[in-house]
Amino acid sequence: MKILEVLRENGRISVSALAERVGISRANAYTRFEALRADGVIKRFTAEIDHVRTGLGITALIFVTVRQQMWRQFRAELARMPEVEYCAITTGQHDAMIQVRVADVAEVHTMVTDRLANIPAVKATETVFILDEVLRRPYVLPSDRDARSNRPARRTPQEAQGDVPLGKMRFVGAAEGRAALRKDD
Amino acid sequence: MKILEVLRENGRISVSALAERVGISRANAYTRFEALRADGVIKRFTAEIDHVRTGLGITALIFVTVRQQMWRQFRAELARMPEVEYCAITTGQHDAMIQVRVADVAEVHTMVTDRLANIPAVKATETVFILDEVLRRPYVLPSDRDARSNRPARRTPQEAQGDVPLGKMRFVGAAEGRAALRKDD
DNA sequence: GTTGAAATTAGTACGAA
DNA sequence: TTCGTACTAATTTCAAC
């Protein structure tokens, strides 16, 4: 976990320096580093870039309602859209959320009306723009929880019982008629 | 741009190997690599991990409606929540979307009712679960567009005019009474 | 899991095209 | 700007413990 904490901040650190920061020997660091990669805990190493500097300063979220039994087609079309950075299947009013990075707002319009709407699998879309990305962590680790300053290490659901019964919260369930929507549907 | 393409797939590649793949000299690769970092085009290098393997297999999106003129407080509270991986300010029905990674669904409930609801800046929330992350690219580049197989390199908004006037699409505007919501409000 | 020493590679500093 | 090369420092590998 310590290794992952270091690599989150600096993915290009040498294994030797990593060993030092974690407090283990170099050979041990090599073994563990390799194990993390081989086990698939670490999937890959990448850079984080400034999208404005590369000319893709507009970010939008498109919430998509997918026609039943057309998920395979939807996935296939997704792979052909280079402007899509992220796509997740969600519960709630919509079926999927995709995040796109483009050069200008007109391209979002083109993307939605021209490309997405042409996919038979897409029943409806809803688009919002991202005005600011307030926080972006490469990833979250279980150890982050304990590192927090003023809060108990871990609260069980029991402990939280009857804590703050706030009526303004709303959990959105899965849309009806959508049972199997994972890879193998 | 070629350098960014290589680093997206392999953020730990040596500058020598990078030079070879991009087709420039070793010395030149060092210069350009350093320039990209110094200019802030490359913000940092990180790893990509398997959240299930680290024990945080539940991912949720929480859409938050923020009380006016309390953005500063909202941001401050966000920084104190280690389970938040991403937060963006959006147009549309809600004001912000935050993505959290936790161990189980009960923790999402705790997070929303106990932590978020206690923040005065938070007026209301709406939570959806992520069932599957279909696609996750480290980042999108303008050059990806041209690399696509069967599609013209670039379509102007004019070209797309009157293409597919689909009535099912819906653009969601900014919520009323929300003018300044960037860092300096 | 550790340490040390060899082999390899990475990073730097130049002049020249 | 880019390249080639020579030089120095660091990392990785591999061995024995």
Side-chain angles (χ1 to χ4, degrees), chain B residues 69-115:
Chain B
Q69 291 170 333
M70 293 186 94
W71 281 93
R72 174 150 290 155
Q73 189 205 28
F74 177 68
R75 284 167 186 276
E77 288 297 327
L78 256 187
R80 312 238 256 103
M81 299 185 203
E83 48 275 280
V84 175
E85 189 168 289
Y86 179 73
C87 174
I89 295 175
T90 65
T91 61
Q93 196 183 345
H94 307 97
D95 299 319
M97 182 190 82
I98 69 183
Q99 185 184 37
V100 296
R101 307 258 185 200
V102 289
D104 48 67
V105 287
E107 273 195 78
V108 178
H109 185 240
T110 307
M111 166 95 199
V112 175
T113 57
D114 191 34
R115 306 243 316 128

Side-chain angles (χ1 to χ4, degrees), chain B residues 39-151:
Chain B
D39 289 2
V41 178
I42 297 173
K43 291 195 279 190
R44 61 176 159 183
F45 290 94
T46 59
E48 222 172 87
I49 64 156
D50 185 334
H51 292 96
V52 177
R53 301 296 309 274
T54 60
L56 300 179
I58 304 296
T59 307
L61 298 177
I62 307 168
F63 298 90
V64 182
T65 306
V66 179
R67 238 177 273 277
Q68 288 317 304
Q69 291 170 333
M70 293 186 94
W71 281 93
R72 174 150 290 155
Q73 189 205 28
F74 177 68
R75 284 167 186 276
E77 288 297 327
L78 256 187
R80 312 238 256 103
M81 299 185 203
E83 48 275 280
V84 175
E85 189 168 289
Y86 179 73
C87 174
I89 295 175
T90 65
T91 61
Q93 196 183 345
H94 307 97
D95 299 319
M97 182 190 82
I98 69 183
Q99 185 184 37
V100 296
R101 307 258 185 200
V102 289
D104 48 67
V105 287
E107 273 195 78
V108 178
H109 185 240
T110 307
M111 166 95 199
V112 175
T113 57
D114 191 34
R115 306 243 316 128
L116 271 177
N118 270 338
I119 303 173
V122 173
K123 200 192 284 180
T125 66
E126 190 165 325
T127 305
V128 304
F129 285 94
I130 287 185
L131 304 173
D132 190 16
E133 297 186 86
V134 180
L135 193 151
R136 180 171 205 125
R137 296 202 183 104
Y139 47 84
V140 171
L141 289 173
S143 52
D144 295 334
R145 172 179 293 279
D146 317 311
R148 190 167 47 219
S149 46
N150 42 359
R151 190 182 173 243

Side-chain angles (χ1 to χ4, degrees), chain A residues 10-152:
Chain A
N10 182 7
R12 273 183 83 85
I13 193 170
S14 71
V15 182
S16 317
L18 176 68
E20 205 175 358
R21 288 196 51 181
V22 175
I24 56 177
S25 71
R26 288 164 314 183
N28 191 9
Y30 276 103
T31 307
R32 289 176 172 275
F33 181 83
E34 234 351 280
L36 283 170
R37 300 211 66 173
D39 289 2
V41 178
I42 296 174
K43 291 195 280 191
R44 62 177 158 183
F45 290 94
T46 59
E48 221 173 88
I49 64 156
D50 185 334
H51 293 95
V52 177
R53 300 297 308 273
T54 61
L56 301 179
I58 304 296
T59 308
L61 298 177
I62 306 168
F63 298 91
V64 182
T65 306
V66 179
R67 239 177 272 278
Q68 288 316 304
Q69 291 167 335
M70 293 187 92
W71 281 93
R72 176 151 288 155
Q73 188 207 29
F74 177 69
R75 284 166 185 278
E77 288 297 327
L78 255 187
R80 312 238 256 102
M81 297 185 206
E83 48 276 278
V84 176
E85 188 168 289
Y86 179 72
C87 174
I89 295 175
T90 65
T91 61
Q93 195 183 344
H94 308 97
D95 300 319
M97 181 191 83
I98 70 182
Q99 185 184 39
V100 296
R101 304 259 186 200
V102 289
D104 47 67
V105 288
E107 273 194 78
V108 178
H109 184 240
T110 308
M111 167 96 199
V112 175
T113 57
D114 190 33
R115 307 243 313 129
L116 270 176
N118 270 340
I119 303 172
V122 173
K123 199 191 287 179
T125 66
E126 190 166 323
T127 305
V128 302
F129 286 93
I130 288 185
L131 303 174
D132 190 16
E133 297 186 86
V134 180
L135 193 152
R136 179 171 208 129
R137 296 203 183 104
Y139 47 84
V140 171
L141 289 173
S143 52
D144 294 334
R145 173 179 295 278
D146 316 313
R148 189 167 48 219
S149 45
N150 42 358
R151 188 180 174 246

